[in-house]
Amino acid sequence: MVVQSPHSLQSSVPTPNNGTKRVQILVKENGSAVTDNVAGQRRASARLQAAKQKAEMELLAKRKLELLNEDVGRSTKKVNVDAEKLKPKLQPAQTVIQQLPEISSLPADPKINKKVAKMVERAAKIAEGLDGTNAPNVAEKSAHMKVKETIRLFNKHYLHFVQEEEKRCGAAKVDKKALKAKKKANRGSVSEADVKAKAKRPDLKAISKMMERNEVLYPEKRIGSIPGIDVGHRFYSRAEMVAVGFHSHWLNGIDYMGQSYKKGEYEHYIFPLAVAIVLSGMYEDDLDNAEDVVYTGQGGHDLTGNKRQIRDQVLERGNLALKNCVDLGVTVRVVRGHECANSYSGKVYTYDGLYKVVHYWAEKGISGFTVFKYRLRRLEGQPTLTTSQVHFTYGRVPQCPSEIRGLVCEDISGGQEVVPIPATNLVDDPPVAPTGYQYSKSMKFARNIKLPANAAGCDCKGLCWDPKTCACARLNGSDFPYVHRDGGRLIEAKHVVFECGPKCGCDPSCVNRTSQRGLKYRLEVSYYCKKNHSARF
């Protein structure tokens, strides 16, 4: 027994191995300490004991959570494993679950309780094979969204190659001037082959790039409709159809499956077998009556564009594929092409639905050569044909505002724009014109945004051509955001586009000043005012 002196302090702490066995510490006046083991003689206060237990339980719960995370992570890596193979991996997790205390016995910390409860429940589901951790967290994209994103990707590639072609043409102009100067100095003829390279088609280069990267939406050909492409869908080039797998060739009118499709789900079919055709007025013997079509087979016509046949057609490839459709009763997708000044390819192609090839024959054509004819009849129950509507809308611009259907305002800009912006209302009865708005051509900034007073510009002269030397292009990732085609077209959507400004040395016609040149194309605002007179555009 230790007798405490008036000039000493005494305390006790639990031992590391046993919380009930304590070590008594006696601190003398000179600073030295004397210890003695006392078992169960003194107990800590209820407050200290509760705090100690809470800390220990939190530590235990944290450790068990880590074990669960490790074991559960290992058990969910393989999905296609049967229950018997999965049991050994789940045994550690089940052991941990059995060792976990009841939730009611855990410390009164809601965060700890909630986490432990979730992990126990999740581990139990994994043990029973009911866990849904492998299900995708994000909803599957719709077929229409996939088509839209694929065409957007194609346009991105296409415009990048357009930009490269514009750079090449710009460099060729500079070289041509140097060539003329060289001719004048040498007084001789110099071949322009060294300067002027053959023009490349950016749409075909874009398709080739998508094929190399496996970015075509439906690379395998299929019979019938394509998911996400409804009747009336418009393509603005043949290359767009190739990008989504709707029609796999940018030139041929007949798209067909070859002998490679004999295996798999089409093993009982006869090949080649047609899946899609394009009616674009290329053959003089075509007859299009909308619901009923007489289609001329491929081959033997003049490729110069005068539509004349110059030799006999042969029953092979696409022609044979359409003949097999007659024998097997297989439907084909029909696309019609029309001239369109608003399309970058000069045409717009409309999907008009599924047609059945009901008959075929051979005859002497208008030019006296043998051609194969195919009668196609549109299947019933499909949406109404929209080709005539598309042809009117995109082929002919209304000559005056009175021709615009549902017109309620001839120009919402009030004369501020060079091209008037009409507004139409086809919803309200009677139609209501837009009110309560203020049209502005100038840029408006929030009050908390301050523009730099001395912003520097680029040192380019004339036009900005080289993105490596243009200071404004470097702000856009060392590239120009626009191409000259169609009056200045944005290559891809960006959060911020940096254009050349008043401190730049380039001309107003620079491609990097596109948005500053005002409206160039006709726009139409579709407007209605339903319920509480709220304006909707």
Side-chain angles (χ1 to χ4, degrees):
M1 184 174 180
V2 179
V3 179
Q4 183 177 354
S5 67
H7 303 288
S8 65
L9 298 175
Q10 181 174 303
S11 180
S12 64
V13 296
T15 62
N17 298 326
N18 193 337
T20 60
K21 186 176 181 180
R22 309 187 69 79
V23 178
Q24 193 173 45
I25 303 175
L26 178 64
V27 182
K28 295 183 178 180
E29 186 175 0
N30 59 4
S32 62
V34 179
T35 61
D36 186 19
N37 293 337
V38 180
Q41 292 185 4
R42 297 190 60 183
R43 300 178 63 85
S45 66
R47 183 178 62 81
L48 292 176
Q49 188 174 8
K52 179 188 77 65
Q53 290 179 351
K54 182 177 180 179
E56 291 175 350
M57 291 301 294
E58 288 180 353
L59 184 61
L60 177 63
K62 183 177 180 181
R63 178 56 185 157
K64 289 177 179 178
L65 284 174
E66 293 175 354
L67 290 174
L68 279 173
N69 280 330
E70 294 174 359
D71 294 325
V72 170
R74 287 195 297 268
S75 64
T76 56
K77 283 183 180 179
K78 295 184 178 180
V79 181
N80 300 320
V81 181
D82 56 31
E84 294 298 325
K85 293 181 180 180
L86 200 59
K87 283 182 180 179
K89 290 181 179 253
L90 293 176
Q91 191 61 39
Q94 293 173 344
T95 304
V96 175
I97 294 171
Q98 293 173 358
Q99 292 177 353
L100 281 173
E102 295 293 330
I103 300 298
S104 58
S105 66
L106 291 175
D109 189 336
K111 292 183 179 180
I112 297 295
N113 290 349
K114 190 174 181 180
K115 289 181 179 179
V116 173
K118 284 185 177 180
M119 292 305 301
V120 171
E121 182 181 0
R122 182 181 176 189
K125 286 184 178 180
I126 293 174
E128 297 173 4
L130 301 176
D131 182 60
T133 53
N134 294 303
N137 295 326
V138 182
E140 181 71 15
K141 291 181 181 178
S142 67
H144 292 85
M145 181 58 67
K146 291 179 180 178
V147 170
K148 184 177 180 180
E149 290 182 350
T150 303
I151 293 179
R152 186 180 296 166
L153 178 62
F154 163 77
N155 284 320
K156 175 185 174 182
H157 292 322
Y158 165 74
L159 291 173
H160 272 298
F161 286 119
V162 169
Q163 190 177 61
E164 288 185 4
E165 186 67 12
E166 289 180 351
K167 292 177 182 177
R168 186 191 68 81
C169 292
K173 288 181 180 179
V174 175
D175 293 340
K176 192 174 182 179
K177 292 181 180 179
L179 179 65
K180 289 181 178 180
K182 187 177 181 180
K183 281 184 179 181
K184 188 176 181 180
N186 296 336
R187 295 181 181 180
S189 60
V190 180
S191 175
E192 295 187 7
D194 299 331
V195 177
K196 188 176 181 181
K198 186 178 179 180
K200 306 294 183 181
R201 288 193 52 172
D203 55 341
L204 302 185
K205 294 175 73 174
I207 285 297
S208 299
K209 186 173 184 177
M210 293 185 70
M211 289 179 175
E212 291 173 1
R213 297 185 175 187
N214 296 321
E215 294 173 342
V216 174
L217 181 58
Y218 300 114
E220 296 293 328
K221 299 180 184 181
R222 59 178 68 190
I223 298 172
S225 300
I226 299 295
I229 303 177
D230 302 326
V231 173
H233 186 98
R234 297 183 297 272
F235 298 96
Y236 293 96
S237 72
R238 293 282 294 268
E240 286 187 9
M241 289 191 278
V242 180
V244 297
F246 187 83
H247 192 289
S248 64
H249 201 276
W250 63 274
L251 181 60
N252 292 342
I254 305 173
D255 185 19
Y256 60 90
M257 293 176 168
Q259 300 297 330
S260 61
Y261 286 86
K262 278 187 175 181
K263 299 180 181 179
E265 60 177 313
Y266 300 114
E267 60 181 351
H268 300 297
Y269 287 85
I270 300 174
F271 295 94
L273 195 62
V275 294
I277 64 171
V278 177
L279 279 167
S280 57
M282 289 298 295
Y283 288 85
E284 58 186 354
D285 295 289
D286 282 345
L287 180 62
D288 189 356
N289 292 323
E291 301 284 344
D292 193 84
V293 175
V294 176
Y295 183 76
T296 306
Q298 65 182 190
H301 76 296
D302 191 351
L303 296 177
T304 59
N306 61 14
K307 305 181 183 180
R308 292 180 59 84
Q309 288 289 134
I310 58 174
R311 66 178 66 92
D312 294 335
Q313 292 184 350
V314 182
L315 191 61
E316 62 181 12
R317 295 181 297 177
N319 295 337
L320 181 58
L322 281 175
K323 180 259 183 187
N324 289 337
C325 285
V326 177
D327 298 337
L328 298 176
V330 173
T331 58
V332 296
R333 300 183 294 272
V334 172
V335 181
R336 286 180 170 88
H338 294 289
E339 299 291 336
C340 178
N342 294 336
S343 173
Y344 63 88
S345 67
K347 279 193 173 183
V348 60
Y349 297 87
T350 309
Y351 172 46
D352 283 337
L354 298 176
Y355 283 68
K356 186 176 182 179
V357 190
V358 296
H359 183 52
Y360 85 99
W361 67 96
E363 67 177 33
K364 292 293 181 180
I366 297 175
S367 299
F369 296 96
T370 300
V371 294
F372 287 94
K373 295 292 192 71
Y374 303 87
R375 183 176 295 277
L376 295 92
R377 189 165 294 135
R378 194 169 189 261
L379 298 185
E380 296 181 356
Q382 298 185 89
T384 306
L385 282 173
T386 59
T387 295
S388 58
Q389 300 171 19
V390 172
H391 182 57
F392 171 78
T393 304
Y394 290 89
R396 179 178 176 271
V397 177
Q399 301 300 310
C400 61
S402 60
E403 293 184 1
I404 301 176
R405 185 167 170 246
L407 181 70
V408 291
C409 180
E410 293 189 3
D411 185 10
I412 64 171
S413 72
Q416 296 185 50
E417 299 286 0
V418 177
V419 182
I421 306 175
T424 59
N425 188 331
L426 299 174
V427 178
D428 295 317
D429 188 17
V432 181
T435 57
Y437 70 92
Q438 182 180 0
Y439 190 92
S440 176
K441 291 179 61 176
S442 60
M443 188 75 71
K444 302 295 182 182
F445 300 95
R447 294 181 179 180
N448 60 339
I449 296 179
K450 295 182 180 180
L451 296 179
N454 299 319
C458 65
D459 298 328
C460 302
K461 302 297 180 182
L463 299 178
C464 296
W465 283 106
D466 190 354
K468 296 180 181 179
T469 59
C470 178
C472 299
R474 286 199 294 268
L475 297 175
N476 290 305
S478 295
D479 208 351
F480 292 117
Y482 305 103
V483 293
H484 288 276
R485 181 162 296 189
D486 301 328
R489 187 173 172 186
L490 187 65
I491 296 176
E492 59 180 308
K494 294 185 177 182
H495 295 294
V496 178
V497 171
F498 294 89
E499 289 194 349
C500 295
K503 298 294 182 68
C504 296
C506 57
D507 295 338
S509 59
C510 173
V511 69
N512 205 31
R513 296 176 182 266
T514 296
S515 69
Q516 305 170 28
R517 293 197 286 268
L519 192 62
K520 298 293 183 183
Y521 295 94
R522 287 181 179 270
L523 300 177
E524 182 180 308
V525 176
S526 181
Y527 165 87
Y528 69 91
C529 185
K530 285 275 188 182
K531 290 184 180 181
N532 302 326
H533 302 283
S534 58
R536 306 293 179 95
F537 291 87

